[in-house]
Amino acid sequence: MAPHSAARPAAAPRLFTWAEVAQRSGRQERWLVIERKVYDVSAFSRRHPGGSRVLGHYAGQDATDPFMAFHIDKALVRKYMNSLLIGELAPDQPSFEPNKNKQLTDDFRELRATVEQMGLLKASPIFFSFYLLQILLFDVAAWLTLWIFGTSLVPFLVSAVLLATVQAQAGWLQHDFGHLSVCPTSTWNHLLHHFVIGHLKGAPASWWNHMHFQHHAKPNCFRKDPDLNMHPLFFALGKILSVELGKQKKKYMPYNHQHKYFFLIGPPALLPLYFQWYIFYFVVQRKKWVDLAWMLTFYLRISFTYIPLLGLKSFLVLFFIVRFLESNWFVWVTQMNHIPMHIDHDHNEDWVSTQLQATCNVHESLFNDWFSGHLNFQIEHHLFPTMPRHNYHKVAPLVRSLCSKHGIQYQTKPLLTAFADIIHSLKESGQLWLDAYLHK
């Protein structure tokens, strides 16, 4: 019998340079780097649970820090990544792209390790159970108000305010589940995310994932952050983009008056006049039938609960008022941390710089924390998106120390000042657009 042939040595990995990776950033070919390993995500991006665009936003770039930030079970994810591995960076290539701040990135990764050792990425079941109970109690109270006190104007408006509170607070809670920051496994987070956003709010989880993870991946980056899609159709946003728009002589709206018409087409209109129909278009177009089923349970429940008390016409009025109040609440809170901040094209900066330029905080207080769903800690949330919100205040001093060491501005302001800064920034951007438009 012939002797067994010797085992073949493993093939040496293909070696790449940062320049070669950077060239694969188009629609057809997409590579990215995670912990010095090079992955071809061209075909996989369409099947990515967080949406294809998130991977596309990091195509040709180092994605190590966003990978660490977005996934709670990294070992499991790495197993699926093995089939995408095509090589690694050559030994003479630095671990960081030349344009990124190496010392800042090293210090942040050390901070992240400290955060994990402190247990700050572990959620308190009691906190989130109480939070869900609060929402359910408000929901029941809204119906009881009409059932006990009748459907005259005062009980009607009280019920509308209670239901708007339910919708806003459920919005913050679904945000927690969507970021995988409540349960120890992705499966349970996804299931409860469907329940909260689908059954309690009537919106699709897949739509939220598709939009929101892009925002976190590249906040305030034009054409990568979907929250900036209102530029330039309705608003000129940020100093750089506004001047750019003015020089191009583009005028879709009277941007020099945008700080005035924001009150009409911004906070009051986003949910009742746009999101309310777009979410149905989204799930039907993309055939997200599970999401549609969850959404229908919300609309069936609220219809069978309130139409017998109010009749169809009054129910529709109630529903519109609730969406109107919720929309104002949602827009002011979500925009106060981002609109006044730096807005630009993507310049592929390091993770910390990308997040800090685009975010600011609002002062901590019991009311501010509750009213904003702890999104007054926007800086900490963006640096550690899977961190449960009740731990933001614990990590905040460590983040401030990191910023101080590297000369990075850590902005925090009162709630009303944050609201006023939205208008101020829109006014400033509009004037910059006008000056550039007139060649001043």
Side-chain angles (χ1 to χ4, degrees):
M1 180 179 293
H4 294 290
S5 59
R8 294 181 180 178
R14 293 174 62 190
L15 302 178
F16 301 99
T17 64
W18 281 114
E20 289 176 305
V21 174
Q23 293 173 2
R24 275 71 176 191
S25 60
R27 291 180 177 272
Q28 302 301 321
E29 195 172 20
R30 293 175 173 178
W31 293 4
L32 50 79
V33 176
I34 298 175
E35 297 173 321
R36 294 191 61 87
K37 297 184 183 298
V38 181
Y39 297 89
D40 183 348
V41 298
S42 307
F44 173 74
S45 60
R46 291 188 295 272
R47 296 179 282 115
H48 182 233
S52 62
R53 293 186 181 180
V54 175
L55 293 183
H57 294 344
Y58 273 93
Q61 302 177 10
D62 180 29
T64 301
D65 290 303
F67 169 80
M68 298 297 291
F70 292 143
H71 301 97
I72 61 174
D73 190 347
K74 299 171 186 61
L76 177 63
V77 177
R78 285 189 180 99
K79 291 181 180 179
Y80 288 99
M81 292 166 54
N82 287 336
S83 62
L84 309 175
L85 182 64
I86 59 172
E88 59 187 48
L89 293 173
D92 64 338
Q93 294 293 296
S95 295
F96 302 90
E97 291 151 295
N99 60 305
K100 293 185 176 177
N101 188 328
K102 178 182 183 302
Q103 187 59 53
L104 175 58
T105 302
D106 282 338
D107 287 347
F108 173 72
R109 291 178 182 178
E110 184 177 341
L111 171 59
R112 182 176 178 86
T114 301
V115 164
E116 292 176 349
Q117 291 171 5
M118 293 173 65
L120 297 183
L121 297 181
K122 295 181 180 179
S124 165
I126 295 176
F127 175 89
F128 288 105
S129 296
F130 175 80
Y131 205 88
L132 176 58
L133 178 62
Q134 169 209 204
I135 292 169
L136 297 177
L137 289 176
F138 273 118
D139 208 357
V140 172
W143 181 82
L144 286 176
T145 298
L146 294 175
W147 187 66
I148 295 174
F149 299 103
T151 59
S152 58
L153 182 61
V154 172
F156 184 87
L157 294 178
V158 169
S159 181
V161 170
L162 288 170
L163 283 174
T165 302
V166 169
Q167 291 302 299
Q169 294 298 325
W172 310 143
L173 184 59
Q174 69 82 23
H175 177 263
D176 297 313
F177 286 115
H179 274 295
L180 313 179
S181 63
V182 182
C183 302
T185 66
S186 297
T187 301
W188 276 104
N189 277 300
H190 288 313
L191 177 61
L192 291 170
H193 188 213
H194 276 294
F195 170 74
V196 176
I197 194 173
H199 183 68
L200 296 184
K201 288 188 61 62
S206 59
W207 163 76
W208 184 91
N209 289 334
H210 173 77
M211 300 288 286
H212 197 66
F213 282 115
Q214 291 184 71
H215 163 70
H216 270 269
K218 294 288 184 178
N220 281 13
C221 290
F222 185 49
R223 301 202 182 283
K224 289 193 173 182
D225 182 352
D227 289 359
L228 300 183
N229 284 349
M230 53 187 170
H231 174 94
L233 296 179
F234 295 105
F235 300 99
L237 299 177
K239 298 178 181 179
I240 295 174
L241 297 184
S242 297
V243 172
E244 183 181 281
L245 195 65
K247 289 181 177 179
Q248 294 172 355
K249 299 296 184 183
K250 291 186 177 180
K251 183 180 180 181
Y252 298 93
M253 295 285 282
Y255 302 120
N256 50 315
H257 295 290
Q258 64 183 9
H259 57 290
K260 301 173 185 176
Y261 64 72
F262 173 77
F263 293 95
L264 297 175
I265 67 173
L270 183 64
L271 267 65
L273 299 182
Y274 177 63
F275 281 173
Q276 186 58 53
W277 68 266
Y278 179 75
I279 55 178
F280 282 96
Y281 169 79
F282 180 92
V283 295
V284 172
Q285 182 198 40
R286 295 172 181 258
K287 297 180 173 59
K288 300 293 184 179
W289 307 126
V290 172
D291 277 323
L292 181 60
W294 277 105
M295 292 166 63
L296 290 177
T297 65
F298 165 78
Y299 290 100
L300 289 172
R301 174 176 61 86
I302 197 170
S303 297
F304 284 119
T305 302
Y306 284 94
I307 290 178
L309 288 174
L310 297 170
L312 179 60
K313 183 177 179 180
S314 294
F315 165 71
L316 293 176
V317 172
L318 175 69
F319 187 78
F320 179 82
I321 292 174
V322 169
R323 288 294 191 228
F324 171 83
L325 295 174
E326 177 197 1
S327 186
N328 280 275
W329 192 335
F330 171 81
V331 172
W332 284 104
V333 168
T334 56
Q335 298 309 306
M336 69 183 183
N337 306 103
H338 296 296
I339 288 295
M341 304 304 293
H342 183 72
I343 300 174
D344 198 356
H345 297 276
D346 179 22
H347 295 294
N348 188 21
E349 297 186 75
D350 57 83
W351 176 255
V352 177
S353 298
T354 298
Q355 304 303 325
L356 264 294
Q357 287 180 145
T359 57
C360 66
N361 278 8
V362 170
H363 290 171
E364 176 186 6
S365 72
L366 287 176
F367 175 78
N368 288 354
D369 294 355
W370 175 84
F371 184 76
S372 68
H374 288 83
L375 294 181
N376 50 326
F377 287 95
Q378 195 72 211
I379 293 173
E380 288 71 27
H381 171 57
H382 266 257
L383 290 176
F384 306 100
T386 62
M387 179 180 288
R389 65 163 100 164
H390 53 73
N391 287 333
Y392 291 157
H393 73 282
K394 297 178 182 178
V395 76
L398 302 178
V399 174
R400 284 197 296 269
S401 178
L402 177 70
C403 291
S404 177
K405 177 180 178 180
H406 291 274
I408 300 173
Q409 186 178 17
Y410 180 102
Q411 288 195 45
T412 182
K413 58 187 74 170
L415 181 64
L416 295 182
T417 300
F419 289 163
D421 282 350
I422 298 175
I423 305 305
H424 175 75
S425 65
L426 288 173
K427 183 177 181 180
E428 183 181 29
S429 298
Q431 187 60 49
L432 287 170
W433 166 82
L434 183 61
D435 291 345
Y437 189 84
L438 299 176
H439 288 288
K440 287 187 178 180

